[in-house]
């Protein structure tokens, strides 16, 4: 029998039920396993990304299965409880059912939004892209939905366990047909259908979710912390041009995808004149960068770790350069020091000056191995050697 009746679940409902259970039992352990995997070598990172991609792909599949299941359930009669006289038991069972219905939508959806809001790392295996409409790339947003995903997952696990225990109780203690009528074949118990009261269980499920979110908030789980690395307070610099606004960004290649990030805290001591001196120099610049202020999508913590920037030991980087005219505008010729290593880096840039306001845009590249960054990733199969650096700023002349 395909559709439900007032006393029996149809084959479509049964198929959705067991498929959903299979996806849950597969994907939750898979996510926990992937989260615990190391990523200290190229091979380990590739393995971690593989398992996470599988987890995300199954999660998106589970979301669409859940939507289809709910739409089917709405169109079907719900078989009556075998024990309508047990009001408390029936109420608790309905509450758990509503928790499960909400969870099988909210858990994969929150994970998908987290994935869409961040950059880099394990992709979803499908041809429709990795972004979602109206979901910007934002680390705070990604962290909030990652936390929400974990909290909702806990509700799902508890609800699933209660649902399973209830089914086993009916089968082994009550010895009734509650479990059997969800198995293949048709079981039509002789009962009188009783109306379902859904408002109270829905309200109870909402209270459970509100309590879970309130607990997560009280524990500070939604607070975005990048770790125990202390961000240094950069000293005020003397400069001929004061930066009013600007972006110091970088792009790295990881597992075939670009991961974009930026440093939130940096200073620039700029001395510049439209007229060059006798050596053709237009000025000089010293940029000091707070390494712990880096945000780099899903790999921020890894980038700040000991094998990469080692931000807890080397909290700042410095770029010193002289500025010369160039065929494309200007070029800063200098050296970049990261950790305890220094290497030459030239930055070509365009410059527009309107009165006392200057707008500058430039891009250059650096090699991570020149600075001992990511030495346990000696090839480009996991992390690319080349790092693209982008600078955009607006500065005002200081009188």
């Amino acid at each position: 029998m395909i559709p439900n009746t007032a006393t029996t679940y149809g084959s479509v409902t049964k198929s959705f039920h067991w498929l959903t259970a299979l996806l849950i039992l597969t994907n939750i352990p898979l996510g926990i396993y992937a989260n615990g995997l190391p990523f200290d070598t190229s091979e380990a990172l590739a393995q971690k990304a593989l398992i996470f991609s599988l987890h995300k792909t199954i999660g998106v599949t589970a979301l669409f299965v859940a939507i289809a299941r709910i739409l089917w359930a709405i169109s079907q009669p719900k078989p009556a409880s075998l024990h309508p006289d047990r009001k408390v038991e029936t109420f608790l069972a309905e509450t758990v059912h509503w928790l499960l219905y909400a969870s099988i939508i909210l858990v994969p959806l929150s994970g998908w939004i987290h994935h869409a809001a961040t950059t880099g790392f394990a992709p979803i295996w499908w041809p429709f892209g990795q972004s979602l409409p109206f979901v910007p790339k934002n680390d705070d947003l990604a962290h909030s939905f990652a936390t929400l995903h974990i909290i909702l997952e806990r509700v799902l696990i508890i609800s699933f366990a209660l649902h399973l225990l209830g089914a086993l109780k009916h089968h082994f203690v009550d010895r009734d047909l509650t479990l059997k009528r969800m198995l293949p074949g048709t079981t039509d118990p002789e009962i009188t259908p009783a109306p379902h009261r859904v408002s109270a269980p829905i309200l109870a499920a909402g209270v459970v979710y509100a309590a879970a979110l309130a607990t997560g908030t009280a524990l500070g789980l939604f607070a975005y912390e990048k770790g125990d690395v202390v961000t240094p307070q950069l000293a005020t610099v003397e400069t001929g041009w004061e930066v009013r606004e600007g972006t110091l960004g970088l792009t790295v290649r990881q597992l075939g995808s670009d991961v974009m990030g930026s440093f939130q805290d940096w200073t620039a001591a700029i001395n510049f004149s439209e007229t060059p001196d006798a050596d053709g120099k237009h000025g000089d610049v010293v940029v000091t960068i707070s390494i712990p202020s880096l945000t780099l999508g899903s790999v921020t913590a890894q980038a700040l770790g000991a094998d990469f920037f080692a931000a807890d030991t080397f909290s700042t980087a410095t770029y010193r350069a002289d500025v010369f005219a160039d065929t494309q505008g200007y070029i800063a010729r200098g050296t970049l020091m990261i950790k305890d290593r220094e290497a030459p880096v030239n930055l070509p840039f365009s410059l527009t000056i309107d009165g006392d306001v200057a707008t500058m845009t430039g891009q250059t590249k650096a090699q991570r191995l020149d600075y001992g960054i990511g030495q346990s990733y000696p090839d480009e199969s996991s992390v690319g050697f080349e790092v693209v650096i982008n600078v955009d700023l607006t500065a005002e002349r200081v009188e």
Side-chain angles (χ1 to χ4, degrees):
M1 183 180 296
I2 293 177
N4 294 356
T5 69
T7 58
T8 305
Y9 291 103
S11 58
V12 174
T13 298
K14 293 177 183 180
S15 298
F16 274 131
H17 177 273
W18 293 112
L19 177 58
T20 301
L22 177 63
L23 291 171
I24 292 173
L25 289 173
T26 300
N27 216 30
I28 289 179
L30 199 62
I32 295 171
Y33 172 67
N35 195 57
L37 288 174
F39 48 86
D40 52 346
T41 66
S42 296
E43 294 76 14
L45 180 63
Q47 176 71 8
K48 190 180 184 79
L50 174 68
I51 301 301
F52 260 122
S53 284
L54 181 59
H55 171 73
K56 293 177 182 181
T57 304
I58 293 175
V60 171
T61 302
L63 174 62
F64 288 113
V65 169
I67 292 172
R69 176 182 179 178
I70 291 172
L71 290 176
W72 175 257
I74 291 172
S75 70
Q76 298 294 300
K78 182 174 175 60
S81 170
L82 295 179
H83 307 287
D85 54 313
R86 302 178 186 176
K87 298 187 182 301
V88 174
E89 181 180 291
T90 301
F91 167 76
L92 292 175
E94 291 288 340
T95 299
V96 170
H97 272 104
W98 283 107
L99 283 171
L100 283 171
Y101 272 129
S103 296
I104 60 178
I105 292 291
L106 295 176
V107 171
L109 181 60
S110 60
W112 195 1
I113 294 175
H114 164 239
H115 172 84
T118 193
T119 56
F121 207 44
I124 299 170
W125 291 332
W126 69 344
F128 305 112
Q130 305 299 316
S131 299
L132 280 173
F134 313 112
V135 178
K137 299 294 183 183
N138 181 280
D139 288 331
D140 289 333
L141 181 67
H143 173 77
S144 295
F145 274 92
T147 302
L148 189 63
H149 182 65
I150 293 171
I151 293 173
L152 297 175
E153 180 191 55
R154 299 301 184 268
V155 176
L156 172 59
I157 291 173
I158 294 171
S159 303
F160 187 89
L162 291 174
H163 180 68
L164 177 61
L165 289 173
L168 294 176
K169 182 257 186 187
H170 279 288
H171 189 73
F172 292 106
V173 178
D174 298 336
R175 298 184 180 277
D176 60 27
L177 299 176
T178 299
L179 177 59
K180 288 184 178 179
R181 64 178 178 170
M182 189 54 75
L183 296 176
T186 300
T187 302
D188 195 354
E190 295 181 1
I191 60 174
T192 301
H196 288 277
R197 302 182 183 277
V198 299
S199 57
I202 290 176
L203 180 60
V207 169
V208 171
Y209 263 109
L213 296 177
T215 301
T217 302
L219 293 175
L221 300 181
F222 287 97
Y224 181 38
E225 299 290 343
K226 290 188 289 186
D228 298 327
V229 178
V230 177
T231 302
Q233 183 67 42
L234 298 181
T236 302
V237 297
E238 293 186 7
T239 179
W241 293 79
E242 186 173 354
V243 176
R244 297 302 186 191
E245 59 181 2
T247 300
L248 178 56
L250 73 163
T251 303
V252 300
R253 191 81 173 165
Q254 185 181 54
L255 298 172
S257 299
D258 287 337
V259 185
M260 294 170 287
S262 64
F263 294 94
Q264 305 303 309
D265 191 13
W266 50 276
T267 62
I270 304 169
N271 296 297
F272 179 84
S273 173
E274 293 93 324
T275 303
D277 63 15
D279 297 324
K281 187 171 75 170
H282 284 263
D284 56 65
V285 61
V286 178
V287 179
T288 304
I289 306 160
S290 171
I291 296 298
S293 72
L294 172 68
T295 57
L296 192 60
S298 61
V299 297
T300 299
Q302 181 186 6
L304 295 176
D307 193 42
F308 285 83
F309 280 106
D312 55 348
T313 303
F314 303 97
S315 59
T316 60
T318 306
Y319 179 63
R320 301 176 183 272
D322 293 327
V323 180
F324 298 88
D326 185 66
T327 55
Q328 302 299 318
Y330 295 91
I331 186 169
R333 296 194 178 102
T335 59
L336 174 63
M337 175 172 281
I338 302 176
K339 298 167 78 170
D340 56 353
R341 302 193 186 188
E342 191 173 43
V345 172
N346 295 332
L347 173 66
F349 63 92
S350 61
L351 180 68
T352 301
I353 299 178
D354 183 6
D356 290 332
V357 177
T359 302
M360 171 265 190
T361 301
Q363 183 182 93
T364 190
K365 297 176 181 178
Q367 299 291 322
R368 64 175 174 84
L369 293 180
D370 289 345
Y371 305 96
I373 292 177
Q375 294 185 92
S376 60
Y377 301 81
D379 59 64
E380 295 190 280
S381 63
S382 53
V383 181
F385 293 147
E386 199 170 71
V387 178
V388 178
I389 302 170
N390 293 284
V391 184
D392 296 279
L393 63 84
T394 299
E396 185 174 353
R397 195 192 311 265
V398 177
E399 298 297 338

